[in-house]
Amino acid sequence: MQKTITRRAIVQGGLIAGALVPALGLMGNYAGAAALTPLDANDPTAKALGFVSDATKVNAAANPTFKPGQMCSNCAQYLGKPGDASGGCNIYAGHSVPAGAWCKGYAPKPGAAPVTAPAKK
Ligand code: SF4
């Protein structure tokens, strides 16, 4: 028995596939965000990079590259959106970091205003 495929069936199949592919992509993004777990400061990589969940508490003496104002939200590695309380980080796959955290992996986000230390009075 030979089955013929009509042009109408091909067009309908293409429309359904075209609608499903973006929907599946959105589901993948949601699942990825939901799968992030907060980074533990005792994580070996976090410890090695001096991760702190509050950038205002960085030990400046132990981290001479740190400048006040640097934090995850203005780091090139940060994957959260502006205004998010936390987001992913390229350094710590599978984990989220607070927007106000910091580590030695900090690199200024391209196009962001340079972070400068406040003027001394
Ligand atoms: S690499 Fe950047 S975004 Fe990631 S934890 Fe360190 S400072 Fe935050």
Side-chain angles (χ1 to χ4, degrees):
M1 182 154 99
Q2 192 171 13
K3 189 174 180 183
T4 57
I5 300 173
T6 65
R7 191 174 354 167
R8 176 177 291 187
I10 293 171
V11 170
Q12 284 176 336
L15 290 174
I16 291 169
L20 284 178
V21 167
L24 290 173
L26 288 174
M27 288 168 63
N29 286 344
Y30 177 76
L36 296 176
T37 56
L39 179 65
D40 182 348
N42 291 317
D43 174 282
T45 305
K47 275 188 142 180
L49 293 177
F51 174 84
V52 290
S53 59
D54 182 351
T56 64
K57 299 197 169 115
V58 172
N59 180 344
N63 299 288
T65 61
F66 173 76
K67 291 189 178 76
Q70 292 180 346
M71 62 184 74
C72 295
S73 63
N74 56 36
C75 174
Q77 305 295 348
Y78 187 61
L79 301 172
K81 295 186 298 286
D84 285 352
S86 64
C89 168
N90 287 324
I91 305 259
Y92 307 103
H95 298 289
S96 64
V97 295
W102 182 87
C103 85
K104 291 178 185 172
Y106 179 87
K109 194 173 278 207
V115 175
T116 55
K120 292 188 178 173
K121 295 179 184 173

